[in-house]
Amino acid sequence: MTDTTANTPNDPAGPWAIPVRRPLPGDDKPKSTTSFPRKVWKLLVAIKDALALIFLLLFFVVLFGLLAGRPNAGLPVSEGALLIELDGVVSEQPAEVDTFTALSGGNQLREIRVRDIVHALESAADDKRVTSVVLDLDRFLGGGQVSLAEIGAAVDKVRAKKKPVLAFATAYTTDSYQIASHASEIWADSIGGVAIAGPGGSRLYYKGLMDRLGITANIYRVGTFKSAVEPFLRGDQSPEAKEANLAYASVLWDNWLTDVKKARPAAKIDAYIADTAGAVRAAGNDLSKASFDAGLIDKLGSRMAFNTRVAEISGAYDDSKPWEYNAIPLENWVAANPPELKGSAIAVVPVVGEIVDGEAPTGTAGGTTVAQHILDAASDSSTKAIVLRVDSPGGSVLASEEIRQALLAAKAKKLPIVVSMANVAASGGYWVATPADRIFAEPETITGSIGVFGILPSFDQALAKIGVTADGIATTPLSGQPDVFGGVNDEFNALAQASVEDIYARFTGLVAKSRKQPLEKVRAIAEGRVWAGGTARQLGLIDQFGGLPDALAAAAKLAKVDGDFHAKYYEDEPSEFSKMLASWGKSEEEAAAAPRGWFGIAAMNRQLTEQRLMQDMAMLTQSGSVQAACLDCRGYLPAVPRPGAAEAKGFFATVALLLK
């Protein structure tokens, strides 16, 4: 059909000219406006339908994840190798998985619970279904030294039953080698090897930057060795802090050497560590060969060669693929073999991570949360005693006191209280231990740090640099204080310092009373100084060496329990949604591409340094209460970002709220 609006062949513009529409009747009338709201309404309905569909899909995805993400209590094979993949860090209590980080594809370190590893190894030692144990340490990023020693001791129990334990990693670090040294066969990739660094390293100091920016850190502290706030006061480490840190780090290092040498008596560890670079040069710049020559490594080979070796011991899953061995994943084994619950119940309440005000999820010790767990245990008629398992560098004084008061309430009900210190029980972590009838720790435990501090920033000099000043009126010496814009006055400084000194006096008084020592002696070993467990025992800060099983036995004895007993944990388990996110984690392809080897480890350490920077900045700007915290002790705990508290209380909290 011919378009009547098109130019005719006789048109001078030609048959290919652009068609021109001729006016039609009614074109001069105004357009109706009713169509626009109708279109908006249709758009809103479409958005609503789309959102409903998305939420419905998410519901089924979450439901599937909850069902599929749970460890299967059934084992994938009738017998085989117990596979312990330590991809991430080991900790006393894994933190809740951050939803935003997980859903946005961010990187949150995986945490494996120490007691699950130890229980799996101990139960596998006597179980015929486990024919060998595989320690996959290729992506292991460490843990506290006490935790590593506990895992090593559990490996020794497997070997005592004449079962082979094989370890593999591309590159071994100080932490991963401590565990691997207990294996019967240590494998490394030919492009890797062993390089032991030992405890130590640097931290960031911000005084120079703060001076340039004009930011004043108003510090209120008690304790010559309370070095937590030094990064905001100095450009380097004070001689006192260096002395204290070197003292307890040296103890940790000696204990590490003792553990590894006992496990690998034929290895030339001292000579290798003293001159690793020389050993590598002598081996033709081949680190793996140098490690092998020194006896630190038993076999050099690829992961496929390692897997084939395991298959020779525990059988191949598929005969056509001899490098795929019969594997029993740790999660499946733990689900299929829960601990036996014989006899009386001894309550175990973990205090893990930073101690913060209010409630907090797993991995952080919320004062209200932990106190409620203690009260729940005390209210349970089956509870015979309470063991407080502490792995914390401290934190809020008020939260620590809330936990202590709950323990006193349990003692009022004639329940014995025993404290079991893990890797770190310092500052607030020691405050909560003061009601104990008995305190257990390991020689590698970091404890003490009996000192307190408060910190508030002010920005009057920073504002002056850009021409902004502050002025006003005052009806009392404390009107408008602390004035973060105009400067903090002497009256407020005196009040804040008095508050900190009062809390320090309370702290030392609690220690003196609980340890039955003169106050003068406690003050001499306090001052914020950190001690290793061996020294702490000599000073009377702990009663005896021992782990959690020893603390449970002591608690049962104090409670006059006859016969068997078992640990009953009072703690919040990660939510099912958090477990689902953790189980999703990374795909196999992403896991295979995860950092490993020396450069991968260096990259991960850079990320951990960035996390430390963020922690320091948060402490400067967000600290909401007087702190009994040992920030240097954080280096002896898994370097995992932990969620904060829901609330804060007290003098410094009130100040912080006024500044918001």
Side-chain angles (χ1 to χ4, degrees):
M1 179 180 293
T2 305
D3 189 347
T4 58
T5 63
N7 292 316
T8 64
N10 296 326
D11 193 319
W16 300 282
I18 297 175
V20 179
R21 182 182 180 277
R22 293 172 181 168
L24 298 175
D27 279 359
D28 57 339
K29 294 182 180 180
K31 301 290 183 181
S32 173
T33 59
T34 58
S35 62
F36 178 72
R38 191 172 297 144
K39 290 179 179 179
V40 173
W41 175 252
K42 288 182 178 179
L43 177 62
L44 292 175
V45 171
I47 293 174
K48 181 262 295 181
D49 292 341
L51 289 175
L53 179 60
I54 290 172
F55 281 116
L56 186 63
L57 290 173
L58 283 175
F59 170 77
F60 284 109
V61 168
V62 170
L63 182 62
F64 173 78
L66 291 176
L67 295 175
R70 296 176 180 175
N72 190 348
L75 301 181
V77 293
S78 58
E79 66 176 34
L82 174 61
L83 173 58
I84 301 179
E85 291 181 294
L86 299 183
D87 294 349
V89 299
V90 295
S91 66
E92 283 288 316
Q93 186 185 67
E96 189 91 2
V97 175
D98 181 75
T99 304
F100 177 78
T101 301
L103 295 179
S104 63
N107 182 28
Q108 179 163 337
L109 292 179
R110 180 184 175 220
E111 296 182 68
I112 306 97
R113 190 158 54 185
V114 175
R115 73 171 185 262
D116 288 344
I117 301 171
V118 171
H119 169 67
L121 288 167
E122 291 179 344
S123 59
D126 293 311
D127 198 306
K128 294 181 179 180
R129 292 173 295 177
V130 176
T131 53
S132 67
V133 172
V134 171
L135 300 172
D136 189 337
L137 301 164
D138 211 13
R139 298 177 182 88
F140 183 53
L141 295 172
Q145 197 163 323
V146 170
S147 298
L148 303 180
E150 288 178 356
I151 296 171
V155 171
D156 290 341
K157 292 180 181 179
V158 176
R159 291 191 60 186
K161 298 296 183 177
K162 307 303 180 183
K163 290 187 178 182
V165 179
L166 300 93
F168 178 86
T170 301
Y172 289 97
T173 62
T174 309
D175 286 357
S176 59
Y177 193 76
Q178 182 172 2
I179 294 178
S181 66
H182 292 263
S184 50
E185 288 186 22
I186 303 178
W187 285 63
D189 195 288
S190 59
I191 62 172
V194 181
I196 306 301
S202 61
R203 65 167 302 176
L204 299 175
Y205 289 79
Y206 311 105
K207 184 64 166 64
L209 174 63
M210 294 173 66
D211 288 344
R212 285 192 177 189
L213 297 177
I215 300 174
T216 302
N218 301 286
I219 306 293
Y220 314 97
R221 63 170 177 167
V222 181
T224 304
F225 296 92
K226 199 63 184 172
S227 60
V229 293
E230 283 192 355
F232 309 108
L233 287 174
R234 304 173 54 96
D236 59 357
Q237 193 175 59
S238 69
E240 294 82 4
K242 188 165 292 188
E243 173 193 348
N245 292 346
L246 184 60
Y248 70 76
S250 297
V251 174
L252 295 183
W253 179 234
D254 289 342
N255 291 338
W256 186 94
L257 286 172
T258 300
D259 185 22
V260 172
K261 288 179 180 179
K262 182 179 178 181
R264 305 283 295 182
K268 303 171 185 176
I269 295 174
D270 288 331
Y272 182 83
I273 293 174
D275 188 12
T276 304
V280 171
R281 285 193 298 270
N285 292 331
D286 188 336
L287 177 62
S288 63
K289 185 177 184 303
S291 304
F292 179 82
D293 292 342
L296 277 70
I297 299 295
D298 297 308
K299 302 282 186 180
L300 295 175
S302 66
R303 177 176 287 277
M304 183 175 290
F306 173 78
N307 290 351
T308 302
R309 167 62 177 153
V310 178
E312 292 174 358
I313 299 171
S314 297
Y317 187 75
D318 184 343
D319 290 339
S320 65
K321 300 176 181 178
W323 56 86
E324 292 185 2
Y325 59 86
N326 290 323
I328 305 173
L330 172 67
E331 294 79 5
N332 295 65
W333 182 262
V334 171
N337 298 276
E340 295 183 358
L341 304 179
K342 294 182 179 179
S344 302
I346 306 297
V348 179
V349 182
V351 181
V352 177
E354 184 180 357
I355 300 175
V356 297
D357 294 304
E359 298 180 347
T362 57
T364 301
T368 301
T369 302
V370 176
Q372 189 59 55
H373 288 322
I374 294 170
L375 296 177
D376 289 342
S379 301
D380 189 336
S381 59
S382 67
T383 300
K384 302 301 181 183
I386 295 177
V387 173
L388 198 72
R389 178 66 167 175
V390 183
D391 198 26
S392 170
S396 165
V397 167
L398 291 169
S400 302
E401 176 62 11
E402 188 173 5
I403 296 171
R404 190 184 76 89
Q405 289 295 332
L407 289 172
L408 293 178
K411 290 193 73 170
K413 300 187 73 171
K414 308 302 181 182
L415 287 173
I417 306 295
V418 175
V419 166
S420 171
M421 295 179 173
N423 302 289
V424 174
S427 281
Y430 194 86
W431 185 298
V432 300
T434 53
D437 297 304
R438 200 149 192 82
I439 298 177
F440 285 79
E442 299 286 8
E444 302 89 354
T445 300
I446 300 300
T447 190
S449 189
I450 301 167
V452 296
F453 68 89
I455 180 169
L456 291 170
S458 57
F459 306 93
D460 48 309
Q461 297 180 38
L463 293 174
K465 289 178 181 289
I466 59 174
V468 178
T469 56
D471 199 3
I473 63 167
T475 56
T476 73
L478 294 177
S479 293
Q481 290 295 319
D483 189 345
V484 296
F485 302 122
V488 180
N489 66 20
D490 293 339
E491 286 80 2
F492 177 83
N493 283 334
L495 178 62
Q497 182 63 31
S499 176
V500 169
E501 290 179 4
D502 174 63
I503 292 175
Y504 178 72
R506 292 172 185 265
F507 197 174
T508 53
L510 287 174
V511 174
K513 182 179 179 180
S514 66
R515 305 313 300 164
K516 298 179 175 59
Q517 294 187 10
L519 184 59
E520 293 73 20
K521 182 180 177 181
V522 170
R523 286 174 176 167
I525 61 176
E527 294 286 332
R529 181 156 184 169
V530 180
W531 306 98
T535 310
R537 185 182 181 186
Q538 296 174 7
L539 297 173
L541 291 175
I542 67 172
D543 293 302
Q544 66 188 85
F545 295 143
L548 183 58
D550 301 294
L552 288 167
K557 184 176 181 180
L558 289 172
K560 296 180 172 58
V561 172
D562 294 325
D564 295 329
F565 57 88
H566 67 274
K568 182 177 181 180
Y569 283 84
Y570 285 79
E571 62 181 340
D572 293 331
E573 286 290 334
S575 66
E576 290 296 331
F577 184 67
S578 175
K579 292 178 182 178
M580 178 197 70
L581 293 176
S583 67
W584 280 356
K586 297 176 181 284
S587 65
E588 292 184 6
E589 293 79 7
E590 290 175 315
R596 58 196 182 100
W598 291 111
F599 283 92
I601 293 170
M604 184 56 68
N605 285 335
R606 176 185 58 79
Q607 293 184 26
L608 299 180
T609 300
E610 293 172 356
Q611 293 173 11
R612 180 62 180 268
L613 172 62
M614 297 304 296
Q615 288 177 334
D616 287 344
M617 292 299 99
M619 191 194 74
L620 176 64
T621 59
Q622 300 175 12
S623 179
S625 60
V626 176
Q627 299 286 300
C630 175
L631 301 192
D632 287 331
C633 301
R634 287 175 173 174
Y636 298 93
L637 288 172
V640 180
R642 304 284 179 166
E647 59 177 313
K649 308 171 188 174
F651 172 74
F652 277 77
T654 304
V655 170
L657 288 173
L658 292 173
L659 298 180
K660 289 185 177 180

